[in-house]
Amino acid sequence: MSNYLPGLAGVPATKSNISNIDGEKGILNYRGYSIEELAQYSTFEETALLLLDGELPGEVCLREFDKQLRKNRQVKYHITDLMKTLPESGHPMEMLQVAVASLGMFYPGSECLTGSDVCTDINYIHNTTVKLISRMGTLVAMWKHLRNGYEPYLPRHDLGYAENFLYMMNGEEPDPLLARIFDICLILHAEHTINASTFSVLVNASTLATPYSVIAAAIAALSGPLHGGANQKVLEMLQQIERPEDAAAFVDKKLANKEVIWGMGHREYKTKDPRATILQRLMHQMIEAKGGEVSALLEIAQAVEKAAEERLAEKGVYANVDFYSGLLYQEMGIPPEQFTAIFAVARSVGWMAHWREQLSDNRIFRPTQVYIGEQERKYIQVSERKRR
Ligand code: COA
């Protein structure tokens, strides 16, 4: 019997040079650059190009990429019409999956994937990458308004990615500090090695499915509460706790009921996720800028983290990226239902980088299984079966 590892824990699924995690030390690098340095000095656009192309871009190249992203924000009115037909109760991740899959019907060209030069059509690969990353933000921001029966705000070409997204969400230009904090959130969520959604990118890319289908599949994987859906769950969980003093009893009750504490634990990290540390710092920065009044929810969150850590650290369970991201988004006026979709907007960069990497050395994924079912047996006519 081959060695079966549930959840493929510790099984390498590919070779990659895009990002790297040292889970014991709590280190995350994109293309060799530490997440702390990128969060401090880079922008989402620059980090995107780093992840996609492998190197920090020069000024001209970065300017050109930024221009292309801005130019590609608008979606066809057919897509807007399609979104208008979706039920308002639909979750933003469900809308995003539908809208991204349907984009593929409007942008042909994937024939080049099945030609003899599978991955050498640089133009198709680059243009599709820009289209997808650029339109992801537009779709998510548009849905906030369309689902409530309002016309969406049109994208602004004079604003950067983060600023434009917040503008399209809230209908006004964001405060520069909030826009910068949001930009850092996008950097932090842009890539994270071979997690469930990125693995789905590899599997779907390996069949030479169109990039729109590949990303639609990744959105589905990210939507689950054990993956990206956890950020919404964290906020809903914190809202059930009235005061920081109640946090320990809340955690005890959850653990006694064998329930998970949302936003805690990670397959790769055996210490606090470095992105959670950065987000927590940003939360304090935002509070300071707002006049120092600490939000009650942040105090509750910190008390839950402390209580959970005291009880779960021996299992290597600490706060992950989803623990503090929702708190920040809430302070920016973003509704909790949109949190996971924002994660998807940022992660589209990592997904496209892995799509490109998979195509550059492709072999279709076809794992095996350990069969534990019945051995060969004879067919019995329905009239002769003992079952009712
Ligand atoms: N709350 C309570 N206990 C947790 C926990 C959590 N959030 N995360 C892990 N554990 C416990 C498990 O119950 C298990 O305990 P046991 O050994 O006594 O059975 C142990 O820690 C190992 O966890 P396991 O579920 O095997 O880890 P995994 O690598 O399979 O799962 C996650 C990783 C992320 C799915 C898991 O930690 C989780 O469900 N977290 C909450 C959801 C979340 O925040 N997801 C976002 C990830 S970025």
Side-chain angles (χ1 to χ4, degrees), residues 355-371:
W355 171 67
R356 288 162 66 154
E357 192 174 63
Q358 179 64 34
L359 288 184
S360 70
D361 186 16
N362 190 43
R363 189 173 185 203
I364 191 166
F365 274 87
R366 202 336 179 167
T368 186
Q369 62 172 6
V370 177
Y371 180 65

Side-chain angles (χ1 to χ4, degrees), residues 189-225:
H189 287 85
E191 160 63 8
H192 209 229
T193 76
I194 308 302
N195 46 73
S197 57
T198 303
F199 184 44
S200 98
V201 166
L202 303 188
V203 173
N204 285 280
S206 81
T207 71
L208 305 183
T210 76
Y212 299 95
S213 305
V214 169
I215 299 305
I219 292 167
L222 186 72
S223 69

Side-chain angles (χ1 to χ4, degrees), residues 316-332:
V317 174
Y318 294 87
N320 63 47
V321 70
D322 293 318
F323 198 78
Y324 286 105
S325 60
L327 283 172
L328 272 165
Y329 296 151
Q330 206 203 24
E331 295 288 326
M332 293 174 189

